[in-house]
Amino acid sequence: MEIAVYFLKVIICSGIMFLYYQFALKDKTFHHYNRFYLLLLVVVSMILPLLKIEYFTIELSDKVFVILNKFQTFADSKNTNDGINYLKYINIAVCGVAFLFLMKFLFGIFKIIQFKNKFKKENFEGINFYQTNLAEAPFSYFKNLFWKNTIIINSDIGRQILKHEMVHIEQKHSYDKLFIEIITAVFWFNPFFYLIKKEINLIHEYLADKKAVKQSDTKAFAEMLLASHFSGNQ
C-alpha cells in the first residue's frame, strides 16, 4: 500500500507543478527556462514524496486514506477467503505494463542502431551524417544526423533544416527525450508526465526554430517547415 500512496503523491506533485507551468509559464518566450523547469518538475515530483521532513511532505486528506484502507481491507479479505492476493496481481500488472513500454522504447533505439549500420556515415564537424531514404528523415539522435536524399543540403531549405537539426544536437535535446521516455514508460499511469513530454518536445522545436530563423529569410524558413512536415515532397 505504501507504493500506491507514493504513486498517488507523485501524481499530485506533478499535477500541482504542471498547473503552475500552464498558467504562469506556458507560451512565454523564455523557452530555455521552461525546458529546465519541466525537467526539474519531473525529478522533484518523484523525490518530494520520499522526503520525511514535515514541511516537504504532502499530506493526503483523511478521505484518501479511508479509501486506501478500505481497498487494503478488501484485498486482505479476498486473500483470506480465496487464497488470492489481488493487490499483488495489481502490482504485477503495473510492472508488466511498464516493462512493455520500456521494451517499446528499447526497440526504437534498436531501430536507430539499425539505421546507423544500414546507411553510409560521413563525419561533419564532429557529427555523424547519414544520407538516407527514410520517410521520417531528417531527424537527429545525439550526434547522429539522418538526412533525406530528396532534400538538397545546399539549397535554402536544406540549409535551414540543417541549422534546425544542429540546434537539437548542440543543445543536447536527445538527453531530454531519453529521460522523459524512460519516465513515461515507468510512470505510465501518470497523465501529467505525458503532458510534460509533449511540452518538452514543443519547446525543443521552438528553440530550434528560433535559432534557425535568426538572420534568415522568412520565406526560406517557412519552406523549411513545410519540407520537414512533408518529408521533402513537393
Side-chain angles (χ1 to χ4, degrees):
M1 188 54 64
E2 290 183 1
I3 296 177
V5 173
Y6 168 73
F7 286 157
L8 184 59
K9 287 183 177 182
V10 170
I11 294 174
I12 293 172
C13 287
S14 58
I16 292 172
M17 296 180 71
F18 185 74
L19 285 175
Y20 170 77
Y21 168 82
Q22 283 288 107
F23 290 107
L25 303 175
K26 184 179 172 65
D27 297 329
K28 299 296 189 298
T29 56
F30 32 91
H31 303 304
H32 284 289
Y33 175 83
N34 286 354
R35 173 193 177 188
F36 291 108
Y37 173 82
L38 289 173
L39 293 173
L40 185 64
L41 184 164
V42 174
V43 176
V44 170
S45 64
M46 291 188 297
I47 295 177
L48 197 60
L50 298 174
L51 299 180
K52 300 300 181 182
I53 303 174
E54 181 180 355
Y55 294 107
F56 295 97
T57 303
I58 295 178
E59 297 295 337
L60 299 178
S61 67
D62 294 337
K63 292 182 179 179
V64 173
F65 282 107
V66 169
I67 294 173
L68 293 174
N69 286 332
K70 285 184 177 180
F71 180 77
Q72 179 67 56
T73 303
F74 173 78
D76 292 341
S77 175
K78 282 290 184 181
N79 183 43
T80 302
N81 297 333
D82 305 330
I84 301 174
N85 190 338
Y86 289 98
L87 189 59
K88 175 183 176 181
Y89 286 105
I90 291 174
N91 290 335
I92 292 174
V94 170
C95 293
V97 174
F99 176 78
L100 291 176
F101 279 119
L102 285 172
M103 288 299 100
K104 180 182 177 182
F105 166 69
L106 291 175
F107 178 73
I109 294 179
F110 178 71
K111 281 184 64 177
I112 293 177
I113 294 174
Q114 284 185 315
F115 292 156
K116 291 175 67 176
N117 294 330
K118 180 179 179 181
F119 300 104
K120 183 181 177 181
K121 179 179 74 174
E122 298 178 33
N123 191 270
F124 175 75
E125 297 184 0
I127 306 300
N128 298 323
F129 186 86
Y130 299 87
Q131 285 278 4
T132 77
N133 57 358
L134 299 173
E136 55 267 47
F139 66 91
S140 58
Y141 176 75
F142 290 98
K143 289 190 175 183
N144 302 287
L145 177 55
F146 297 88
W147 195 261
K148 191 172 181 66
N149 292 329
T150 55
I151 301 177
I152 302 173
I153 195 169
N154 290 324
S155 64
D156 291 339
I157 297 175
R159 284 192 291 268
Q160 289 289 333
I161 295 176
L162 179 61
K163 191 185 298 183
H164 178 98
E165 293 300 330
M166 288 299 293
V167 176
H168 287 311
I169 295 173
E170 291 168 0
Q171 297 186 1
K172 298 177 172 58
H173 292 170
S174 293
Y175 287 98
D176 299 1
K177 292 185 176 182
L178 190 70
F179 171 71
I180 200 63
E181 286 290 346
I182 294 174
I183 293 299
T184 52
V186 176
F187 292 86
W188 58 269
F189 46 82
N190 187 345
F192 296 107
F193 284 166
Y194 290 98
L195 296 174
I196 291 167
K197 175 183 173 181
K198 180 181 178 181
E199 287 298 318
I200 288 175
N201 288 334
L202 284 174
I203 288 170
H204 287 168
E205 296 307 313
Y206 291 150
L207 289 168
D209 289 344
K210 183 178 180 180
K211 194 165 183 179
V213 78
K214 203 171 186 179
Q215 296 178 344
S216 298
D217 179 28
T218 307
K219 179 183 177 183
F221 176 71
E223 290 175 345
M224 180 272 285
L225 294 178
L226 290 172
S228 298
H229 181 74
F230 292 105
S231 300
N233 296 328
Q234 292 296 324

